Amino acid sequence: MEHIELFFKSIFIDNMVFATFLGMCSYLAVSKKVSTAVGLGAAVIFVLAITVPLNWLLDQYLLQPGALAWLGESYASYDLSFLSFIMFIATIATMVQLVEIVVEKFSPALYNSLGIFLPLIAVNCAILGGSLFMQSREIPTLGLATTYGIGSGIGWFLAILAIAAIREKIRYSNVPPALRGLGITFIITGLMAIGFMSFGGMLTGGDDGGAKEEQTMVQSDFKQQTDLDQNLASAIQENKDTNTEDSQKIANNTKGNE
């Protein structure tokens, strides 16, 4: 269940393009044709699916404070976290180079259509952002890191595929001259980002325990308040009874004196 929740959150709620606006350069430049967008989106999915878990391993066993304890007690005090950016980028650049070789070998047409933007995946902020978000959110296991990488890649793929399909359609639309090109693209991107924000209320997994605890606290407070009200009512009633008895005694004494 945790994997499914993280998977859908990384696609819709924490979408790289619509939630954090990362990878916008290639998102805007390579989204003129659906075929090109599909190729680049598939490459991004592959790179994120490989680099995020690899960088998780580097972070857990090399970069975090005390991560070198597995080498011996003398290394437990080492802190290599300052190397995070360098190590993450080196891993990403290696995988992008592998993707570039594979695409050039098996799909020269796609390689030519992507042009400079294929090697630029190495410096795509969405790719580095996936590893940095994984690190900042302290994803606990390698499996969850892999799920997050795949989900983030699919989210970016859906974003560029959607905008590419829309841009192919609006070529034949009557767009005002002042908004043609990037103008209407930015407007559509903003509207799509608003639409993706609506997914934020769909996944509430992990809040059940908090909701139950809050409900228990509310019920406990209500019970305490009810007990206090009952005690207060009993005290008022006892006071009334005491006053009534005193008044009766005074009345009886007055009659006896008469």
Side-chain angles (χ1 to χ4, degrees):
M1 184 63 186
E2 190 176 2
H3 286 268
I4 296 175
E5 180 183 346
L6 180 61
F7 180 73
F8 284 103
K9 276 187 175 181
S10 59
I11 293 177
F12 299 106
I13 300 174
D14 298 328
N15 187 280
M16 284 290 184
V17 175
F18 299 131
T20 57
F21 293 98
L22 295 179
M24 292 295 293
C25 51
S26 52
Y27 166 82
L28 294 173
V30 194
S31 59
K32 296 179 180 179
K33 294 182 179 180
V34 171
S35 57
T36 307
V38 168
L40 185 61
V44 168
I45 292 175
F46 176 80
V47 173
L48 276 172
I50 299 298
T51 57
V52 171
L54 283 178
N55 287 331
W56 184 89
L57 291 172
L58 288 174
D59 185 58
Q60 291 292 319
Y61 296 103
L62 185 64
L63 300 175
Q64 286 188 3
L68 295 176
W70 57 276
L71 291 175
E73 295 182 359
S74 59
Y75 296 93
S77 60
Y78 282 66
D79 182 5
L80 300 179
S81 57
F82 64 93
L83 295 175
S84 295
F85 281 94
I86 297 174
M87 298 298 292
F88 289 175
I89 292 175
T91 304
I92 292 169
T94 303
M95 300 315 307
V96 170
Q97 187 66 33
L98 177 62
V99 170
E100 186 177 0
I101 293 172
V102 172
V103 172
E104 185 179 11
K105 176 68 175 178
F106 294 100
S107 182
L110 178 61
Y111 178 81
N112 293 328
S113 62
L114 291 176
I116 191 63
F117 291 100
L118 183 58
L120 281 180
I121 294 178
V123 291
N124 189 335
C125 50
I127 307 296
L128 181 60
S131 296
L132 294 178
F133 286 151
M134 171 274 300
Q135 184 185 46
S136 63
R137 293 171 184 176
E138 298 180 353
I139 293 178
T141 64
L142 179 62
L144 287 174
T146 305
T147 300
Y148 178 73
I150 295 173
S152 298
I154 293 175
W156 198 90
F157 172 80
L158 289 178
I160 193 172
L161 180 63
I163 195 65
I166 293 173
R167 291 182 75 175
E168 281 193 354
K169 293 294 183 182
I170 62 175
R171 291 178 186 174
Y172 309 103
S173 302
N174 187 18
V175 180
L179 295 178
R180 290 174 185 172
L182 289 179
I184 192 65
T185 304
F186 276 117
I187 293 174
I188 295 171
T189 301
L191 294 174
M192 292 171 68
I194 294 173
F196 269 67
M197 288 175 62
S198 63
F199 291 104
M202 293 180 61
L203 297 176
T204 56
D207 296 333
D208 294 341
K212 290 180 180 179
E213 183 178 354
E214 183 178 356
Q215 183 179 4
T216 303
M217 292 176 62
V218 171
Q219 291 175 350
S220 178
D221 293 340
F222 178 75
K223 187 177 183 302
Q224 291 179 0
Q225 185 64 37
T226 303
D227 293 340
L228 289 174
D229 293 342
Q230 290 177 353
N231 293 334
L232 181 61
S234 299
I236 293 174
Q237 186 63 37
E238 290 177 0
N239 190 26
K240 286 182 178 180
D241 294 340
T242 302
N243 291 336
T244 302
E245 291 177 358
D246 292 340
S247 299
Q248 188 66 33
K249 288 179 181 180
I250 293 172
N252 292 334
N253 290 334
T254 302
K255 289 181 180 180
N257 291 333
E258 289 177 353

